[in-house]
Each structure stands twice: as C-alpha cells, then as structure tokens.
C-alpha cells in the first residue's frame, strides 16, 4: 500500500475574469503581479475549468458542490439548507429551509429590509418566535438568528416543497410579497401548502414582534423596530454523503462565506473559523494560509476560499480585484514555504469568473493549476486565463476535481481488476 498524500483546494472566489481595455487587454489575474501563483504554474499542470458546465454561470454554492464532487444538477434544491446549516440548525432530508431577514414594515410596506441594520436583540426576538410559532398545524417551524439582521427558518413536516416564490421583495419602499407556488411546480399541491405555511409564519412573526420589548426599546431610542421576518432563498434539504465517507479523507474547510461554510457543515467537514478572515478587502490572507497549513497537520484534505476577488468583481473595481488577487498570491506564497509538496497536491483556482465589466458571475471558464505530489508539470510559465489555456490539463469541469486530487495523492480507487 503506497503512502497517501494530502490535498488542498484553494479558491480565489470569483477570481476569473475577462480582458479589460483599462489593463491593455489583460485580465485582472494577468495584470496583477503574482509570483507565487506563477511559481505554482511553472511547477504544475495547468488548464481551464468550467465550474459546472461550459457557459453556465455558477453560484458559489453550486460551484463548490461541483468542485467537491456533488453534481449540483442532481442535488441542488436551493441555498436555504446550507444557510440554515450554517447558522447551526440540524437540517434533515425533506426539510424546506429559508434564509430570512429581520425587517421593518408599516402594514405591508417594507420600510427597511434590514431593520435599521439591527446588531443586537435578535436572539430575544428569535426566541419569542420559536416559542410563539413552533408549529403551524402539523408542521414544525425551526427558527434561528444569524449575524446582524439575518436568520434562518426550517419547515419540517410531510408534503412540503421548495417550489415557491420569496416573501422578501429584495428592496425597501415596496410591499412585501405573498409566497406563491411557482407556475411550473412539479407538485402544485405541496407548493400551495408550503406557500400558505410561509405566509402564515410571516403574519405571526409580525404579530409576535410588533410590540416585543426589544422593539419598544428600539422605538424609544429612535431606531427602526425589527417587526417582521421576511423569508427568501428557499431550498429543500437532500441527503449528501459526508465527504469523509465519500473519499475516505478527513476533511476541513476554511472559508469566509456563510453559504459555503454551511455546505461544509452539511458535508460534515471540520469547519474552521479564522477570526481575522473578514470576507472583505481587509481580510488577513496570511492568517488564513496559516490555518490551512495547521489544518493539514491533522486532516487529509482542506478546502480554502478567499472571498475578496469576487467582491472586486461585483463592485466592478478592477484595482480592488487586483489587490485581492495579490492577497491570494501571498497566501499561496505562504503555503509554498510551509507545506511539503512532495506529499501534498494543491489545486489553485476560482469557483467561477466574476468579470469587473459584468459585475456578476459569468459563464467563463476559470484557470486551474495542480501542483505538488503526483503532478506532471507542463510548459506553462504563469498563472492566468490565457497561459493556463495552453496547459496539459486542457479543459475540465468542477466535477473532475476530486477524482484528479484523489488520483494525485494516491487516494483514488481502481475501476476494474
Ligand atoms: Zn464564489
Ligand atoms: Zn459573487
């Protein structure tokens, strides 16, 4: 039995991009000075990756599912279950889960969908909701607060569906919506039942919160009351085989986004918190890299994600995106100095492209480089969309990542005799 190595998947969130005229036709990765990423490329195998499939713009949740080997077309039923798991609710297959906002309404009109960016008191408000509306009929309602104005709701019972519209209108100054069955729902009856339950939950949340002492105190202090819960981002929980069971690799996740962290919990990975990882431009990439190196001591596989490049892409700010890519480069530089790549394989890539000119995720493939144990280096000399397109990996999909990583580190299983 040969020795099994360790694997790292390191993701610069949304790092892929398109050529920009402001950068003389270079992408932000190509224009940024990235000595460590280039060193990875010089010693590694490069290529392009369609996170899900060619041309398919990916969410961070579906892209991470695919990269970890769980086909999103088969298993993805909305983000709600990951959100709910991320805030500590024990989501079970069949549950319908939502992310929610505490908001301020006057009648049906949403005055502020973040309740004045409420920072404290939501624990008490959530407790009042849990007590006041623990069930609607036979269906159990499980509600938990998250950070600031955010929360999650899980409906547990028979005959529920995720095929409904949201209640949160995603803007202030307009009426909130009634949940309705999607017009093409597979099970219209279950969708109607679920929509009715959600509308009843929302109505009761308003009843419970309107005159709650926390809100009376907020009004007296001149603050907006958090007097309703508005659900959105619905999803049905499905069974996903835990990652350790699937690959035989004891696995950890070090990421900055709650949604991806929720997926990690869902797959029963060790989700490691790094307090200095802010999820913004000011994140401490060395603290994250240090945590990755430390996690490798007692794990076989670590997935890490630095969020900042995606923020730059959404902001349409190529300078900030380049600086964020510089952070990814410094994190990789740290790993090159502190990890034994004779016994470890790393994949450095993005979970999707977030081109500055688009301001959102696009269907463009992302550059990949595998480096370390088991890797046969090609002739690519630098990391970027165009250089990697000439690499020996050619073009893969997110679903190909785990078979490749497990193969490089000797943890793959033979097919046939
Ligand atoms: Zn992403
Ligand atoms: Zn994004």
């Amino acid at each position: 039995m040969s020795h099994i190595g360790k694997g790292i998947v390191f993701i610069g969130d949304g790092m892929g991009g398109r050529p920009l005229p402001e950068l003389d036709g270079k992408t932000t990765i190509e224009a940024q000075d990235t000595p460590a990423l280039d060193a990875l490329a010089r010693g590694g195998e490069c290529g392009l990756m369609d996170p899900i499939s060619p041309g398919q713009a990916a969410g961070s949740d579906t892209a991470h599912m695919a990269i970890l080997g769980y086909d999103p077309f088969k298993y993805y039923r909305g983000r709600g279950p990951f959100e709910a798991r991320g805030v500590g609710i024990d989501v079970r297959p069949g549950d319908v889960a939502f992310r929610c906002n505490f908001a301020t309404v006057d009648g049906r009109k949403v005055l502020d969908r973040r309740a004045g960016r409420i920072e404290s008191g939501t624990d008490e408000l959530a407790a009042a909701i849990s007590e006041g509306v623990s069930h609607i009929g036979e269906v159990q309602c499980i509600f938990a607060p998250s950070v600031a104005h955010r929360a999650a709701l899980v409906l547990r019972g028979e005959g529920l569906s995720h095929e409904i519209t949201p209640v949160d209108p995603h803007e202030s100054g307009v009426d909130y919506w009634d949940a309705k069955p999607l017009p093409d729902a597979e099970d219209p009856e279950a969708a109607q039942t679920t929509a009715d339950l959600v509308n009843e939950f929302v109505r009761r949340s308003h009843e419970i919160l309107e005159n709650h002492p926390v809100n009376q105190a907020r009004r007296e202090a001149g603050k907006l009351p958090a007097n309703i819960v508005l659900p959105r981002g619905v999803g049905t929980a499905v069974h996903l085989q835990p990652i350790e069971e699937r690959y035989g690799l004891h696995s950890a996740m070090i990421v900055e986004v709650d949604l991806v962290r929720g997926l990690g919990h869902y797959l029963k990975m060790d989700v490691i918190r790094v307090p200095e990882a802010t999820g913004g431009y000011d994140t401490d990439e060395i603290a994250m890299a240090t945590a990755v190196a430390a996690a490798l001591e007692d794990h076989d596989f670590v997935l890490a994600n630095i969020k900042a490049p995606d923020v730059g892409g959404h902001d349409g700010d190529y300078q900030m995106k380049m600086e964020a890519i510089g952070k990814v480069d410094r994190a990789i530089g740290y790993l090159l100095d502190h990890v034994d790549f004779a016994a470890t394989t790393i994949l450095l890539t993005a979970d999707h492209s977030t081109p500055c000119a688009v301001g959102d995720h696009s269907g463009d493939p992302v550059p990949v480089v595998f480096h370390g144990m088991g890797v046969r280096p090609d002739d690519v000399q630098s990391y970027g969309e165009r250089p990697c397109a000439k690499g020996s990996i050619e073009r893969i999909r997110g679903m190909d990542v785990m078979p490749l990583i497990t193969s490089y580190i000797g943890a793959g299983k033979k097919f046939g005799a």
Side-chain angles (χ1 to χ4, degrees), residues 16-336:
R18 291 178 181 172
L20 284 167
E22 298 92 327
L23 298 173
D24 294 329
K26 290 181 174 170
T27 69
T28 43
I29 298 175
E30 290 163 358
Q32 174 66 25
D33 185 29
T34 53
L37 303 189
D38 296 343
L40 273 193
R42 275 196 302 280
E45 285 187 88
C46 298
L48 294 178
M49 176 175 79
D50 294 295
I52 295 181
S53 58
Q56 177 64 61
S60 290
D61 48 4
T62 47
H64 280 79
M65 278 181 85
I67 288 166
L68 290 170
Y70 300 82
D71 184 352
F73 287 133
K74 201 163 155 193
Y75 297 114
Y76 187 71
R77 298 281 184 282
R79 66 189 296 173
F82 305 141
E83 299 279 355
R85 187 61 71 93
V87 307
I89 300 177
D90 175 31
V91 184
R92 300 181 195 162
D95 287 353
V96 174
F98 304 80
R99 66 197 311 223
C100 303
N101 273 15
F102 283 102
T104 309
V105 292
D106 179 9
R108 286 192 68 91
K109 190 173 179 186
V110 179
L111 299 181
D112 185 347
R113 58 183 291 276
R114 298 188 184 92
R117 295 203 175 258
I118 186 166
E119 288 293 337
S120 61
T122 54
D123 285 356
E124 287 161 81
L125 297 175
I129 289 172
S130 297
E131 200 186 304
V133 54
S134 69
H135 287 77
I136 301 174
E138 300 285 295
V139 172
Q140 193 186 351
C141 306
I142 305 159
F143 185 76
S146 176
V147 287
H149 56 275
R150 299 185 189 89
L153 167 68
V154 165
L155 301 178
R156 181 170 295 160
E158 298 293 315
L160 302 177
S161 163
H162 63 277
E163 294 182 306
I164 62 168
T165 59
V167 173
D168 181 352
H170 294 267
E171 58 180 322
S172 301
V174 300
D175 286 1
Y176 68 84
W177 299 331
D178 278 327
K180 293 194 178 92
L182 293 179
D184 56 350
E186 257 176 61
D187 186 342
E189 200 180 320
Q192 186 65 58
T193 303
T194 312
D196 292 344
L197 283 165
V198 170
N199 294 328
E200 177 64 10
F201 177 87
V202 171
R203 191 188 65 75
R204 284 170 62 179
S205 78
H206 184 48
E207 234 171 56
I208 292 163
L209 298 179
E210 177 68 3
N211 293 310
H212 190 280
V214 166
N215 281 328
Q216 287 173 1
R218 286 182 68 80
R219 284 193 186 93
E220 277 160 28
K223 293 175 179 168
L224 291 170
N227 63 0
I228 199 163
V229 173
L230 300 179
R232 66 195 152 107
V234 61
T236 298
V238 297
H239 175 70
L240 297 178
Q241 188 182 27
I243 209 161
E244 186 156 355
E245 227 172 76
R246 178 111 185 233
Y247 303 111
L249 301 175
H250 186 46
S251 301
M253 179 183 267
I254 298 169
V255 301
E256 301 184 288
V257 181
D258 280 336
L259 182 62
V260 179
R261 203 177 275 138
L263 174 65
H265 284 296
Y266 210 94
L267 297 175
K268 299 200 184 329
M269 300 171 81
D270 287 341
V271 176
I272 297 169
R273 291 266 186 173
V274 177
E276 297 86 353
T278 63
Y281 293 129
D282 62 344
T283 199
D284 184 342
E285 70 278 8
I286 298 302
M288 290 190 75
T290 305
V292 170
L296 282 174
E297 299 285 324
D298 53 359
H299 293 85
D300 307 306
F301 175 72
V302 179
L303 182 138
N305 177 313
I306 291 183
K307 173 72 175 165
D310 184 56
V311 180
H314 283 286
D315 289 348
D317 186 333
Y318 68 86
Q319 277 155 332
M320 291 309 284
K321 189 171 177 189
M322 284 173 63
E323 280 183 35
I325 291 164
K327 281 180 174 283
V328 175
D329 185 70
R330 283 191 292 280
I332 294 299
Y334 180 92
L335 292 178
L336 282 171

Side-chain angles (χ1 to χ4, degrees), residues 337-355:
D337 288 343
H338 291 85
V339 171
D340 173 15
F341 282 102
T344 306
T345 306
I346 185 170
L347 163 65
L348 181 276
T349 187
D351 56 341
H352 48 76
S353 297
T354 310

